[in-house]
């Protein structure tokens, strides 16, 4: 005679969104064939935030989407509160979905007495109750090891390279890294674009000053070629615009900028609009407000990628297989 009770239950996927980039979350939910869970999100007079889900979440497989855009500290805190609320409401598994992972650039100590903020972020989400983390194009791969649990590191590479191949595939391409540290990313681009040759910009950066670098010289053959200048993020735009100018000065036929995360802190939009770049291709991991848009900016949707990854996790499939050539 056995003891206890057995009950067959169906898995229940629920998608939640904060206020930072609700349009992206709605697109992800639509791709999944569901809707966002109604959620009460508001600010108190002293700027503290209140979170409450308007449906039962007990036993669900929860995916909480929030992109860490400006004001970044506010939206990170809202994300943490949502995770805490789900944990206390007995969600079975909580996956934090961060299309853009805040503080990712602070992943090591460049000088003494600095924090490793990217690690602190991972610890905060774990403490809040997250079981799993999903992000797109982390600044460095090592951040995956900061979170004590499964991490799905998604790549925007297929989306960006497919677009570039369709539009510029018939031209003589050179893939350019804006610095020596991102050569691996450029190599991955090259593999997907018929082994296009590589180049990189040798630059110097003052670690005591944020968002400032000097493009020194181009290493590689770019003369007469269409240069695809690739990076994971564009913040103030100074580095990428300087790199584009260096390429044109070295004889490039044209420069196309491609990046996953369009942070676009002022004056990035104006710099890119007035730059020598032929086109600026980004994804919508971060919201592109009207004041950040310009004519040669092309945003590509990241929603199908996120939806596919969420479906794979929910159905116990393979996220890795999504990126195998």
């Amino acid at each position: 005679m056995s003891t206890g009770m057995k009950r067959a239950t169906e898995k229940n996927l629920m998608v939640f969104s904060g206020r930072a980039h609700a349009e992206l979350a709605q697109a992800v939910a639509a791709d999944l064939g569901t809707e966002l869970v109604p959620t009460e999100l508001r600010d108190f007079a002293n700027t503290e935030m209140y979170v409450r889900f308007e449906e039962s979440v007990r036993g669900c497989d929860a995916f909480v989407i929030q992109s860490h855009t400006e004001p970044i500290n506010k939206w990170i805190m809202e994300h943490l509160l949502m995770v805490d609320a789900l944990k206390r409401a007995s969600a079975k598994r909580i996956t934090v979905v961060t299309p853009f992972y805040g503080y990712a650039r602070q992943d090591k100590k460049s000088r003494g007495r600095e924090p490793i903020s990217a690690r602190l972020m991972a610890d905060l989400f774990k403490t809040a109750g997250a079981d799993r983390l999903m992000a797109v194009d982390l600044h460095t791969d090592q951040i995956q090891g900061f979170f004590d649990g499964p991490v799905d590191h998604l790549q925007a590479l297929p989306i960006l390279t497919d677009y570039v191949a369709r539009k510029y595939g018939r031209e003589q391409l050179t893939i350019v890294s804006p610095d020596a540290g991102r050569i691996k990313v450029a190599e991955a681009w090259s593999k997907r674009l018929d082994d296009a040759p590589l180049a990189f910009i040798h630059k110097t950066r003052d670690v005591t000053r944020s968002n400032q670098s000097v493009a020194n010289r181009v290493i590689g053959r770019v003369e007469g070629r269409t240069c695809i200048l690739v990076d994971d993020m564009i913040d103030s735009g100074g580095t990428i615009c300087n790199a584009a100018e260096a390429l044109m000065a070295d004889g490039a036929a044209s420069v196309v900028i491609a990046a996953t995360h369009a942070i676009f802190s002022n004056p990035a939009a104006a710099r890119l609009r007035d730059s020598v770049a032929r086109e600026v291709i980004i994804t919508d991991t971060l919201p592109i407000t009207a004041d950040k848009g310009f004519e040669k900016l092309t945003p590509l949707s990241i929603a199908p990628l996120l939806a596919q990854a969420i479906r794979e996790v929910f159905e116990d499939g393979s996220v890795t297989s999504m990126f195998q050539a």
Side-chain angles (χ1 to χ4, degrees), residues 28 32 61-68 79 93-102 125 130-138 144 147 149-155 302-314 319 322-323:
V28 171
L32 288 166
D61 201 346
F63 293 85
V64 197
I65 304 173
Q66 179 89 305
S67 208
H68 300 160
H79 209 176
R93 180 172 63 172
I94 303 169
T95 299
V96 165
V97 182
T98 59
F100 176 73
Y101 183 100
F125 280 110
D131 300 296
R132 191 179 192 106
L133 186 68
M134 184 180 291
V136 180
D137 285 350
L138 291 166
Q144 296 174 76
F147 183 76
V151 176
D152 301 302
H153 187 195
L154 310 183
Q155 301 168 27
I302 204 78
L305 176 72
L306 291 170
Q308 185 182 355
I310 288 171
R311 188 177 288 109
E312 291 291 346
V313 170
F314 177 66
V319 174
M322 291 168 53
F323 305 103

Side-chain angles (χ1 to χ4, degrees), residues 163 234 257 259 262 264 269 272-273 278-283 288-300:
Y163 176 86
I234 302 174
I257 293 172
F264 285 8
L272 291 162
R273 182 194 64 219
R278 177 175 169 186
E279 184 177 13
V280 180
I281 309 161
I282 49 99
T283 74
I288 305 298
T289 53
D291 59 309
K292 293 180 179 180
F294 49 94
E295 188 175 352
K296 58 186 175 184
L297 180 69
T298 302
L300 306 177

Side-chain angles (χ1 to χ4, degrees), residues 6-240:
K6 290 185 179 180
R7 181 165 65 95
T9 58
E10 290 188 0
K11 293 171 70 176
N12 180 25
L13 183 152
M14 300 182 83
V15 183
F16 305 82
S17 172
R19 292 173 288 176
H21 195 0
E23 297 84 358
L24 175 60
Q26 287 165 356
V28 171
D31 275 6
L32 288 166
T34 186
E35 295 181 359
L36 297 175
V37 174
T39 307
E40 184 180 358
L41 295 160
R42 53 185 168 86
D43 298 338
F44 291 106
N46 69 345
T47 73
E48 289 181 9
M49 284 172 284
Y50 175 83
V51 171
R52 182 178 182 273
F53 305 115
E54 297 178 358
E55 294 179 7
S56 173
V57 300
R58 184 178 299 276
C60 79
D61 201 346
F63 293 85
V64 197
I65 304 173
Q66 179 89 305
S67 208
H68 300 160
T69 186
E70 58 180 347
I72 191 166
N73 297 325
K74 174 177 181 176
W75 301 133
I76 289 171
M77 190 65 199
E78 183 176 83
H79 209 176
L80 290 164
L81 291 172
M82 293 176 73
V83 172
D84 184 77
L86 284 164
K87 178 182 69 174
R88 296 179 189 282
S90 302
K92 186 174 183 179
R93 180 172 63 172
I94 303 169
T95 299
V96 165
V97 182
T98 59
F100 176 73
Y101 183 100
Y103 289 91
R105 282 172 288 185
Q106 300 179 44
D107 61 340
K108 61 183 180 298
K109 291 177 67 173
S110 299
R111 297 187 295 162
R113 302 179 298 282
E114 289 182 340
I116 302 180
S117 308
R119 169 60 194 264
L120 176 60
M121 283 278 295
D123 288 344
L124 287 169
F125 280 110
K126 187 66 178 179
T127 300
D131 300 296
R132 191 179 192 106
L133 186 68
M134 184 180 291
V136 180
D137 285 350
L138 291 166
H139 190 58
T140 55
D141 289 342
Q142 72 196 44
I143 295 173
Q144 296 174 76
F146 293 171
F147 183 76
D148 187 14
V151 176
D152 301 302
H153 187 195
L154 310 183
Q155 301 168 27
L157 183 71
I159 295 170
L160 293 166
T161 54
D162 286 353
Y163 176 86
V164 168
R166 287 195 306 271
K167 188 162 184 180
Y168 300 104
R170 295 184 180 181
E171 300 179 21
Q172 286 190 311
L173 302 182
T174 292
I175 311 302
V176 184
S177 170
D179 56 54
R182 303 201 69 78
I183 282 292
K184 280 189 175 180
V185 175
E187 287 175 344
W189 272 77
S190 174
K191 286 179 183 177
R192 293 185 65 95
L193 293 171
D194 297 327
D195 293 319
L198 300 174
F200 73 92
I201 310 292
H202 180 269
K203 72 176 184 180
T204 56
R205 184 184 293 276
D206 185 348
V207 297
T208 67
R209 305 178 73 181
S210 301
N211 303 110
Q212 292 195 28
S213 66
V214 178
N216 293 334
R217 60 197 179 98
V218 178
I219 312 297
R221 186 165 64 92
V222 301
E223 187 174 354
R225 303 181 72 86
T226 299
C227 292
I228 311 297
L229 183 57
V230 300
D231 209 347
D232 66 319
M233 64 177 72
I234 302 174
D235 192 349
S236 63
T239 297
I240 208 84

